[in-house]
Amino acid sequence: MRELTVDLGERSYHIYIGEGLLNEADTYFSKHGISNKSPLLIITDTNIAPLHLAFLEERLQGGGFKAFSAVVPSGEGSKSLSMLEELIAKALDAGLDRKSTIVALGGGVVGDLAGFVAASFMRGVKFVQIPTTILAHDSSVGGKVAVNHPKAKNIIGAFHQPEFVLYDLNLLQTLPPREVRSGLSEVVKHGLIWDASFVQWCEDHADRLLALDADSLGYALHNGCSVKASVVSQDERENGLRAILNLGHTIGHAIEAVGGYNGLQHGEAIAIGMVGSAKLGVRYGAPEEVYTTTKRVLAKCELPTALPEHFDVDAIMEAMMHDKKFAEGTMVFIVPSAIGEVEIKSDVPVAWVREIVEELKLEVEQL
Amino acid sequence: MRELTVDLGERSYHIYIGEGLLNEADTYFSKHGISNKSPLLIITDTNIAPLHLAFLEERLQGGGFKAFSAVVPSGEGSKSLSMLEELIAKALDAGLDRKSTIVALGGGVVGDLAGFVAASFMRGVKFVQIPTTILAHDSSVGGKVAVNHPKAKNIIGAFHQPEFVLYDLNLLQTLPPREVRSGLSEVVKHGLIWDASFVQWCEDHADRLLALDADSLGYALHNGCSVKASVVSQDERENGLRAILNLGHTIGHAIEAVGGYNGLQHGEAIAIGMVGSAKLGVRYGAPEEVYTTTKRVLAKCELPTALPEHFDVDAIMEAMMHDKKFAEGTMVFIVPSAIGEVEIKSDVPVAWVREIVEELKLEVEQL
């Protein structure tokens, strides 16, 4: 079992990573002072509920906790204010009070939604995260929670740190291969911004990660979480440094937006975005190796590294213009200067970005 | 001009109280580092907009701020998630970003709603309060913001402290008399829980307060805010002490709930509640004077001190059972032990409370 601490002063918390942790869920809940007098509410989705909900409820009820549950439809559509209203109704019906806890059992969508329920119910109650995807290692550190507005993603939210995170590697065994790859994209990102040796390790262990080898997964998640924890503990509310976590995300979000819900997955889109950022880095004088290594490690994880032919450059540029990071003629970009090192450039010419996006369409996939 | 600081560490802020402060709104905004590059959004209601909105917008625009505004229907009905969604849309349309500010121009409803917009938009932006009622002195200290759920009031919210509060006494001159009285109820409450000499002062100056004498109002608001600031700075997130601010509120909320929206106003209901709490205090051994003084000072402020005949005791008891503060056979109550002193009693017999409510119907109004 691996363990790490996200250091945020009085809001610090532990992340436990290991096989079979769900079997001892009640022990972890007790150890962290979760009330067994006030009811708690597990929020999960229609994908995860049939796989793991009954087991978790049993463990918690067996440990004397008053566990209730709510199941939301899987997918981004559940991150809405109307779902928040429904879940608050569930919480009230189950008799939750200010000493109650909200538990997120799921991936990023469930974590974001349940986290915002926890942040806003009675102005904030305790929150526990039990991630069920690799990608969720990213959202399990840093306390960003939110729902969507019809006009913008993640625009209504809070910073609300969990009491602890219980990462049971066994829950990852049922992940569809595409979600495995998508999750690895954020793992690699954490290496690219912070730790060259971890990038090398990812390249060497990509096969084992794709095969869901528990020990490799545990190491990768521990390192990914550690990098994010280091960044977040220096800048909890994203006043500066935390922005480096957005490596690949400006182009990536635009690719996602243009692709629509049935386009590329988040991890796939940011993989292409990270190749773009690496190319930008080389333009700014980084060694060519930044680009070749970025592309190679992502390809090893079976992630796309070129923009599919049918994407329209104009549409992608327009989607980027709507991004918060844009200002007259220049853009803010996270740009690698070496493997494991990035800089925040605030005056990247839009023209350069367009050229990079055009080049991304001409990239040859390295498989 | 009077000034006080709400001491909350790095979330500390100033409250300015005086005549004509709105004339210098732009100066205060600049002084407190409100951005003139990012747009700001003033939220107000249909009562206040025709009186003061154009003036405030002019002052801010004259000072170089990009001021936009949104007007919501007056009344508790606007504290909803659907109104939150509308206001977030307005914020997006006006181009607000993470450096923007939300300004509440109004009473408690506008403050709660705008405050929750500020707390949740992009996970939290700056917030400025410009109260337009006496009652709002209470909600302007402590950062409690919220909207309602169809099943419960104030159940979706946050703690979000303002950058500063600008209390222009001139804005109070247009308050309807009943709202003046209702506001004074919370002012008196702050004396009753903390400061006997201020209770005496309220009794001596009730006539002037009712006549909206600016100097008396300024003193009363400054003292009311100071008491609340003292309590809140010792217990920002209501883990203990902050509960004393609920003096009169358990019975008061039940009276409000039973009365419905056209029943008694908040301040009126808690005035009756405070008489009930005083009677309970005497039962617990407080001097008779606690009851007589409480009743006398409230009567001087022309507030009700007896429960109107048509209220049903059973209905009030039932409404109280739904209150968070109830547990098997006993209730938590804030009980005065002397004028200016209260205790938190966690085991008040429900039977006593019922007797007190019955007695409140038999009280003779002291006018």
Side-chain angles (χ1 to χ4, degrees), chain B residues 12 23 28 64 103 131 157 220 223 290 292 314 327 338 358:
Chain B
S12 294
N23 300 336
Y28 285 96
V103 181
N223 269 46
V290 164
T292 52
D314 286 336
E358 279 165 355

Side-chain angles (χ1 to χ4, degrees), chain B residues 298-317:
Chain B
L298 292 169
K300 281 266 191 181
C301 294
E302 297 179 4
L303 284 157
T305 56
L307 188 62
E309 193 54 43
H310 69 276
F311 275 88
D312 179 55
V313 174
D314 286 336
I316 288 176
M317 292 309 293

Side-chain angles (χ1 to χ4, degrees), chain B residues 42-336:
Chain B
I42 303 163
I43 298 175
T44 189
D45 72 18
T46 45
N47 283 346
I48 297 299
L51 300 171
H52 307 298
L53 179 58
F55 184 77
L56 176 61
E57 284 185 306
E58 246 168 61
R59 295 314 295 181
L60 292 178
Q61 281 157 0
F65 294 95
K66 295 178 189 155
F68 292 83
S69 63
V71 181
V72 305
S74 69
E76 192 73 20
S78 284
K79 280 174 60 178
S80 68
L81 285 177
S82 62
M83 189 56 76
L84 174 72
E85 187 159 307
E86 271 187 48
L87 291 170
I88 298 282
K90 282 258 187 190
L92 288 168
D93 291 345
L96 268 72
D97 59 39
R98 292 175 50 204
K99 298 206 162 105
S100 288
T101 299
I102 302 287
V103 181
L105 173 68
V109 165
V110 166
D112 281 0
L113 172 64
F116 191 53
V117 173
S120 59
F121 180 64
M122 294 187 168
R123 301 192 181 90
V125 295
K126 288 182 175 177
F127 177 42
V128 170
Q129 277 185 283
I130 305 180
T132 59
T133 65
I134 297 173
L135 194 58
H137 89 279
D138 186 44
S139 49
S140 72
V141 183
K144 276 192 178 181
V145 297
V147 297
N148 300 328
H149 185 279
K151 286 172 181 265
K153 269 183 79 168
N154 290 329
I155 208 79
I156 308 169
F159 289 89
H160 193 66
Q161 308 296 342
E163 298 300 303
F164 66 97
V165 177
L166 202 62
Y167 225 128
D168 185 340
L169 298 169
N170 292 351
L171 305 190
L172 306 178
Q173 294 302 323
T174 48
L175 272 183
R178 197 172 169 194
E179 282 203 37
V180 173
R181 297 193 295 264
S182 194
L184 292 178
S185 189
E186 292 277 4
V187 171
V188 169
K189 183 200 77 181
H190 286 126
L192 289 172
I193 62 173
W194 203 259
D195 183 350
S197 67
F198 182 47
V199 175
Q200 183 64 56
W201 182 93
C202 287
E203 190 177 341
D204 297 341
H205 293 74
D207 292 348
R208 272 177 255 184
L209 290 169
L210 290 168
L212 294 170
D213 167 61
D215 192 55
S216 302
L217 272 182
Y219 181 86
L221 293 174
H222 182 271
N223 269 46
C225 289
S226 296
V227 169
K228 183 152 185 195
S230 299
V231 173
V232 166
S233 61
Q234 286 173 56
D235 178 23
E236 186 178 355
R237 296 187 76 95
E238 194 160 356
N239 296 312
L241 181 70
R242 191 163 174 164
I244 70 172
L245 297 168
N246 292 326
L247 177 71
H249 279 62
T250 302
I251 295 176
H253 280 159
I255 293 173
E256 277 183 279
V258 170
Y261 283 108
N262 296 316
L264 292 172
Q265 291 209 346
H266 179 68
E268 295 167 340
I270 68 153
I272 300 168
M274 288 192 284
V275 175
S277 306
K279 292 170 77 72
L280 200 53
V282 173
R283 274 213 188 197
Y284 272 108
E288 184 72 15
E289 174 231 19
V290 164
Y291 161 68
T292 52
T293 301
T294 297
K295 194 168 169 180
R296 203 172 58 241
V297 63
L298 292 169
K300 281 266 191 181
C301 294
E302 297 179 4
L303 284 157
T305 56
L307 188 62
E309 193 54 43
H310 69 276
F311 275 88
D312 179 55
V313 174
D314 286 336
I316 288 176
M317 292 309 293
E318 184 154 339
M320 251 185 276
M321 303 311 218
H322 285 295
D323 198 296
K324 299 181 280 281
K325 294 161 206 85
F326 172 76
E328 299 158 24
T330 62
M331 304 180 75
V332 180
F333 252 86
I334 313 304
V335 179

Side-chain angles (χ1 to χ4, degrees), chain A residues 153-180:
Chain A
K153 270 184 78 169
N154 291 327
I155 208 79
I156 307 169
F159 288 90
H160 193 66
Q161 308 297 342
E163 297 300 304
F164 65 98
V165 177
L166 204 61
Y167 224 128
D168 185 340
L169 297 170
N170 293 351
L171 304 190
L172 306 179
Q173 295 302 322
T174 48
L175 271 184
R178 196 173 171 195
E179 282 202 35
V180 173

Side-chain angles (χ1 to χ4, degrees), chain A residues 6-17:
Chain A
V6 182
D7 185 6
L8 294 166
E10 60 182 19
R11 289 182 300 284
S12 294
Y13 63 92
H14 286 279
I15 300 179
Y16 303 99
I17 303 170

